[in-house]
Every structure is written in C-alpha cells, then in structure tokens.
Amino acid sequence: MNKHYISIFLISQIFVSPLYAQKSFEKGVNIIEPGIGIGVYKVDLQDKSNPNIPVTHDSTAAKLFPLGFEHGITNWLGAGGKFNYSSYITNDSTSERAYGLDFAVFVRGHALRTKHVDLFVGLDFGYSHIAYDANNYTGGIARANGTYFGFNLNSRFFIGKVWGLRLFYNFDSYNYPNGTISDSASNSYKFSWKSKSFFLLGAGLIFKL
C-alpha cells in the first residue's frame, strides 16, 4: 500500500510541478531590452507648399537602436516604454545626415511562457521626430514631428536566470503631417511624410532586474 501511495505522489509531481515552475515572464517582473535592427520603409512625401505637385512615392532604409523597459502586470500581460534612434541610410558620396527619434509606450500579450522561452506580440504608440541635414553649401535642413504606431512579433530566449537574447519583427507606421524644409537663403517649405515598414528585423539582449 505504501508503494502505491509513493507511486501516486511521484506521478503527481511529474504533472503538477511544471504548473508551478518559474516562467520566463511573470507578474511583477521587470525587463530591460537593448537592441539593434534594420528597417526598410515605403514613403509617401507631399509638398504642402505647392498642392499641384503630386505625392512622391519612394523607399528608404534605416539602422535602428531601440531600448525598452517592460513590467509584468499579470502573468500574460506586460506594459512599458521604449526609446528608439533611427539612422537613415543616405548617399555615401555626400555628407548628408538623416535620423529619427521615437518615444513610445506599449502593451504586450505573452502567448507562450516556459522557463527559457517567451513568445509575445506587442502594440506601440508614441511620438516621433525626424531630421535631415544636407551639410553642404545650401544649408538645407528638414524637421518634422509626428506619431508612431507599431505592431510587433517577439521572442525571448533566456540563457541564464537574468539574461538572454531577443528577436523581433516589426510593422511600423509613421505620420509627420507638418514638416518644414529651410535653407541658408531663407527659403521655407512645408511637407508631409508618411511611411510604413515592409521589412523590419532586429535582435538584442534582455536583462531581468
């Protein structure tokens, strides 16, 4: 009879213990995630100073350097914020420079959580600033403020108890409705810029606090 009870106890531990094992994401956890990525975007650019000029359709690419913080609200729901610096890829034969700054808040739903793996989706929304400097004799610059929206697919792989690796794939959208272009001759023009990513992939580290 004792052997029978011992067998039941061992079987129960096999099936019940994993339910109480520590997960990679749980309520109350705090995670910092620096990263790096590359994004390619479709761009719609309109000259608002001359409505007779049609919208220009183009594409651009940028190197991304995000830094995020997430807090576990429940065992499956997280929220936090992130900062991102984008360095747009320009013509190597010129000294022109273009960059973007994003400040966003996000919510995330964690679908699969094991001890070492965390798969989740996220929604981001926030403020964005874009800047362009011609860095030549014209003194041309462009500045715009707008909004940023993102949907992302993420995976985390914890190698140790407090650190690991992260992969992410984003669908990002930017809207700058009232940008300004100016130069050293005191010319000034208004423009609007809308862009959506059709490829944005990145990776980074993760650290539990």
Side-chain angles (χ1 to χ4, degrees):
M1 183 65 68
N2 289 337
K3 291 183 179 180
H4 176 70
Y5 287 134
I6 291 174
S7 298
I8 293 177
F9 174 77
L10 292 176
I11 293 173
S12 68
Q13 291 302 299
I14 293 174
F15 289 99
V16 175
S17 293
L19 299 177
Y20 298 95
Q22 184 178 9
K23 305 294 186 182
S24 55
F25 185 89
E26 296 179 318
K27 179 179 179 180
V29 70
N30 294 304
I31 297 177
I32 293 179
E33 44 186 30
I36 187 171
I38 184 75
V40 183
Y41 306 86
K42 294 180 179 179
V43 178
D44 294 332
L45 184 63
Q46 183 177 19
D47 184 348
K48 300 183 70 175
S49 299
N50 188 347
N52 294 321
I53 298 178
V55 175
T56 300
H57 304 287
D58 204 346
S59 61
T60 187
K63 294 174 284 187
L64 312 174
F65 303 92
L67 175 63
F69 170 81
E70 182 180 8
H71 174 73
I73 298 176
T74 70
N75 286 339
W76 60 270
L77 179 66
K82 75 172 187 179
F83 163 80
N84 178 67
Y85 175 81
S86 299
S87 177
Y88 286 89
I89 299 172
T90 58
N91 192 335
D92 290 337
S93 63
T94 67
S95 58
E96 61 184 355
R97 174 174 176 256
Y99 64 90
L101 300 173
D102 306 327
F103 300 89
V105 294
F106 59 73
V107 292
R108 291 170 172 175
H110 295 257
L112 175 63
R113 301 172 299 112
T114 68
K115 184 176 181 181
H116 297 288
V117 178
D118 180 18
L119 303 181
F120 57 96
V121 297
L123 291 175
D124 307 345
F125 182 77
Y127 161 83
S128 182
H129 173 79
I130 192 170
Y132 169 82
D133 296 311
N135 289 324
N136 59 20
Y137 69 94
T138 66
I141 62 172
R143 300 288 187 270
N145 299 313
T147 56
Y148 157 74
F149 175 79
F151 170 75
N152 44 79
L153 305 173
N154 302 266
S155 57
R156 291 178 180 145
F157 304 95
F158 284 88
I159 299 173
K161 291 184 178 180
V162 297
W163 74 280
L165 302 175
R166 172 186 174 228
L167 299 175
F168 59 89
Y169 191 91
N170 287 19
F171 302 89
D172 289 350
S173 175
Y174 293 90
N175 182 24
Y176 307 100
N178 294 299
T180 301
I181 300 173
S182 61
D183 59 28
S184 57
S186 300
N187 296 310
S188 182
Y189 310 91
K190 294 293 184 180
F191 73 93
S192 67
W193 165 304
K194 294 181 180 180
S195 62
K196 294 182 179 180
S197 65
F198 61 88
F199 176 83
L200 200 164
L201 182 65
L205 299 175
I206 48 176
F207 302 95
K208 282 186 179 181
L209 299 182

